Amino acid sequence: MQTIEMSKRFEAPVEQVFEDLCDHEKFGRLTSAQIVRIRDASDSSHPNGLGSVRRIKVPGVPPIEETVIRFEPNRRMDYTVTKGGPITHHRGSLRFHGDADGTTVDYTISFEPKLPLPFLGAILEVIIKLPIKRGLDRLARSYTKQHVAATQEN
């Protein structure tokens, strides 16, 4: 089993960070991936919530579908791959911790490669982690710029 663990601090309220990371299309733009929500959650107030399904298209790989299996607004979102991809037993979990100064997100992804090839797990780990890490860094910088601009206006 491969496990990827990332933690990132954001200078923004938990509600804003949760919205930006748990909206499927926004997350796709953030990670430069083609992600489309193909099924809304049963709760109309959170279309990206429990039971929603997103399709991810990555060049050279058949489309992957992920289903949200746990959704607690401003606290947590878990998902699993339910169709496609070179991995099995995949689970992703985003946990949000807000305080007066901002938000910390702990992001954990676990999976196993479908094929038992040497080093395949390590290669897939890099392929999965890199765009997510870049996206989290980009989002953190955007909040910092917003915070600096607001501070300079006052």
Side-chain angles (χ1 to χ4, degrees):
M1 179 76 69
Q2 297 289 132
T3 301
I4 301 168
E5 294 180 335
M6 295 173 270
S7 186
K8 190 69 182 177
R9 180 78 181 157
F10 300 93
E11 291 181 21
V14 69
E15 297 84 6
Q16 184 176 4
V17 178
F18 186 87
E19 169 63 25
D20 288 340
L21 292 178
C22 293
D23 179 291
H24 302 323
E25 283 86 9
K26 285 183 183 180
F27 188 75
R29 288 189 298 274
L30 188 66
T31 59
S32 300
Q34 187 179 357
I35 301 177
V36 177
R37 184 178 61 246
I38 60 172
R39 183 182 329 138
D40 290 352
S42 55
D43 179 358
S44 61
S45 66
H46 297 286
N48 296 296
L50 186 64
S52 67
V53 178
R54 61 186 176 193
R55 179 176 292 135
I56 304 168
K57 291 185 182 177
V58 179
V61 177
I64 299 165
E65 292 183 9
E66 295 178 339
T67 301
V68 175
I69 57 174
R70 183 172 180 175
F71 189 82
E72 300 172 26
N74 304 323
R75 294 187 56 211
R76 184 174 184 152
M77 184 180 84
D78 294 359
Y79 61 89
T80 188
V81 169
T82 48
K83 183 177 180 183
I87 57 179
T88 186
H89 301 107
H90 175 275
R91 182 164 180 154
S93 180
L94 292 97
R95 292 168 316 283
F96 298 79
H97 313 281
D99 58 40
D101 298 323
T103 304
T104 299
V105 176
D106 296 317
Y107 196 158
T108 304
I109 301 169
S110 59
F111 66 92
E112 291 180 16
K114 283 186 178 176
L115 300 173
L117 300 174
F119 307 110
L120 181 57
I123 292 167
L124 291 171
E125 183 175 329
V126 170
I127 291 169
I128 293 168
K129 182 177 181 176
L130 189 59
I132 294 172
K133 183 182 179 324
R134 285 182 181 158
L136 294 176
D137 291 345
R138 189 175 320 127
L139 183 61
R141 283 192 304 273
S142 76
Y143 293 146
T144 301
K145 288 177 185 175
Q146 292 171 16
H147 179 74
V148 169
T151 303
Q152 290 174 346
E153 289 176 5
N154 294 330

